[in-house]
Amino acid sequence: MLVRDAMSTVVLTIGPAHTLRQAAHLMAARRVGAAVVLDTDTYGLGILTERDVLNSLGLGQDPDLETAGTHTTTDVVFAGPTWTLEDAADAMAHGGFRHLIVLDDDEPAGIVSVRDIIRCWAPVRRQTATVA
């Protein structure tokens, strides 16, 4: 199975000036665990995850003052839509993260998460267990 078969095509894109509260509100409203942060002036595409927001709150930082740009991961590993789910899972395990931005022709086409991969693999594993 390929990344394009598992990825979410709901891509929340925000700017680096969004506050963490605004980002969290948008992520919750769209029921996604990550947002693509687009900053054409500096780093291009980055990612802000629920973990980034949680870490900031855990440090006692004010979500109305902290910006997405300050907490964005900019050294992003990108996946291609034709990667296998095994390739995506390996990249996540190796890098210690749970989301990959999927690029198609250098544009964000989706996001694939550990949850997406598990959702695809779980039915296959159940069928295998039933057959065995």
Side-chain angles (χ1 to χ4, degrees), residues 38-110:
L38 177 60
D39 186 350
T40 56
D41 293 333
T42 57
Y43 53 78
L45 293 177
I47 191 166
L48 179 76
T49 67
E50 56 202 357
R51 182 179 294 168
D52 297 322
V53 175
L54 184 64
N55 287 340
S56 176
L57 292 175
L59 292 171
Q61 296 174 334
D62 186 340
D64 292 313
L65 298 177
E66 293 296 315
T67 63
T70 304
H71 296 276
T72 296
T73 300
T74 57
D75 58 338
V76 179
V77 175
F78 297 102
T82 59
W83 280 25
T84 66
L85 293 186
E86 289 81 6
D87 291 337
D90 286 345
M92 290 178 192
H94 180 74
F97 44 81
R98 299 176 299 162
H99 299 86
L100 285 168
I101 299 172
V102 181
L103 292 184
D104 194 8
D105 292 327
D106 295 326
E107 294 293 323

